[in-house]
Amino acid sequence: MSFTFISLFYLGLSLGQEMEVYNERLSKPHLQALTTPVVAPGGDVTLQCSLPPQSYPQKVTFFLQKLQNTELLQSKTGEWTKTDFLLFFLRPQDTGKYHCMYQEITGSYRVSEPSETLTLWVTEALPKPFLTATSSQLVVSGTNVTLFCWGPIRGVGFALYKEGEESFVGIRESTQDGDEFLLTHVNINHTGNYSCRYDVGLDSNVTTTPSDLLELTLLSQQDISFQHISKTKVSRYIWITLRHLVILFFLFLFLAFLCNHHT
């Protein structure tokens, strides 16, 4: 059943229900994918629209809509706090941003603000993300290091893997910019090659490509001391070189002055 928002109001009028239009809209609901927002072509997905937190069951009509589409995809009426919208046999062109709304069916017939958008991806494969260390890949024993995984696909979580281990190191839910994986009290067991990939679930038919490997190396106290000495030597060499250049510059000016005075 498909309506535009304007047709919904006219439908209420045709049933002889007097409606009052208020400028103040109801609080926005929440839209989420019950499994993953990434699905292979021909697959199905369930999107759940929920009333704002701490809402009690009330008789409302929920609407699901795709952005840049004037018609509603589905609508459901009942005395609920949430409802599920099932989308079947999805095609690549179904990829896009979706939101949901709800409307009171008694009293003022107010319509809610739209929910935050949820991006649905209908694809056979996701591109590889990127994995970086927020500070350095060279880590001092006993300290913490944060690995940051990010990519062009929004709204999908990430899983972190270590080369040579069968299971993942950790899974993070989706964020706007990417996901951070914190490794605490790093020791020799943390060294090795790491990669990350999008987390679409074990039962998904969507292919996920891992990121390029990032090697985590542990620094010993001898390495730290050597680096400190090396940096000190380099700084001293630079200082001596600059001092000599300054002396040569003033010597050149003095010789130029003598030549000019003699002339």
Side-chain angles (χ1 to χ4, degrees):
M1 186 175 183
S2 177
F3 300 95
T4 63
F5 287 115
I6 296 176
S7 64
L8 285 170
F9 285 101
Y10 279 105
L11 178 61
L13 289 173
S14 64
L15 295 175
Q17 297 173 322
E18 183 179 358
M19 296 185 295
E20 300 177 14
V21 180
Y22 288 82
N23 292 327
E24 182 183 357
R25 307 183 80 178
L26 300 171
S27 299
K28 63 184 178 183
H30 174 68
L31 183 64
Q32 64 177 344
L34 290 187
T35 51
T36 173
V38 179
V39 60
D44 310 327
V45 69
T46 300
L47 304 183
Q48 186 178 86
C49 186
S50 307
L51 294 180
Q54 301 179 347
S55 297
Y56 57 88
Q58 51 186 301
K59 200 166 185 180
V60 295
T61 299
F62 287 95
F63 309 106
L64 179 67
Q65 186 179 30
K66 183 181 180 183
L67 267 65
Q68 299 179 344
N69 189 343
T70 57
E71 292 189 351
L72 300 176
L73 297 177
Q74 295 183 30
S75 65
K76 288 186 176 182
T77 301
E79 192 169 346
W80 311 310
T81 58
K82 58 186 177 183
T83 191
D84 296 342
F85 295 104
L86 277 64
L87 304 179
F88 299 101
F89 306 110
L90 292 169
R91 304 160 298 169
Q93 52 265 41
D94 292 320
T95 296
K97 297 181 180 296
Y98 293 76
H99 65 208
C100 69
M101 304 172 69
Y102 65 97
Q103 181 188 24
E104 295 176 339
I105 59 174
T106 58
S108 63
Y109 293 92
R110 290 180 299 171
V111 179
S112 72
E113 296 285 348
S115 67
E116 298 292 337
T117 58
L118 180 146
T119 303
L120 185 64
W121 303 92
V122 185
T123 179
E124 295 180 352
L126 292 177
K128 68 178 181 181
F130 304 93
L131 183 64
T132 58
T134 55
S135 54
S136 172
Q137 298 173 223
L138 304 176
V139 187
V140 180
S141 178
T143 60
N144 302 335
V145 61
T146 300
L147 303 183
F148 184 66
C149 188
W150 57 279
I153 306 298
R154 304 292 184 181
V156 184
F158 294 95
L160 180 69
Y161 295 85
K162 183 182 179 184
E163 192 176 42
E165 297 185 3
E166 295 183 0
S167 61
F168 51 80
V169 177
I171 291 181
R172 294 289 182 270
E173 295 182 358
S174 61
T175 61
Q176 183 65 24
D177 299 320
D179 289 321
E180 293 183 344
F181 296 88
L182 177 64
L183 305 180
T184 59
H185 306 293
V186 175
N187 55 51
I188 191 65
N189 296 324
H190 291 94
T191 59
N193 293 317
Y194 289 82
S195 66
C196 67
R197 64 176 66 198
Y198 290 103
D199 177 35
V200 294
L202 297 177
D203 299 329
S204 175
N205 294 323
V206 178
T207 302
T208 57
T209 305
S211 67
D212 294 334
L213 292 176
L214 181 145
E215 184 178 5
L216 201 62
T217 304
L218 195 66
L219 287 177
S220 65
Q221 292 298 328
Q222 291 180 346
D223 294 330
I224 298 172
S225 300
F226 177 76
Q227 284 189 349
H228 177 71
I229 294 173
S230 298
K231 289 180 180 179
T232 303
K233 287 183 176 180
V234 171
S235 300
R236 185 179 178 184
Y237 175 77
I238 293 174
W239 165 246
I240 293 173
T241 302
L242 289 175
R243 186 176 63 181
H244 288 169
L245 289 174
V246 171
I247 293 173
L248 289 174
F249 176 73
F250 280 104
L251 181 60
F252 173 78
L253 290 179
F254 179 71
L255 292 175
F257 171 77
L258 289 179
C259 291
N260 184 59
H261 180 71
H262 179 72
T263 301

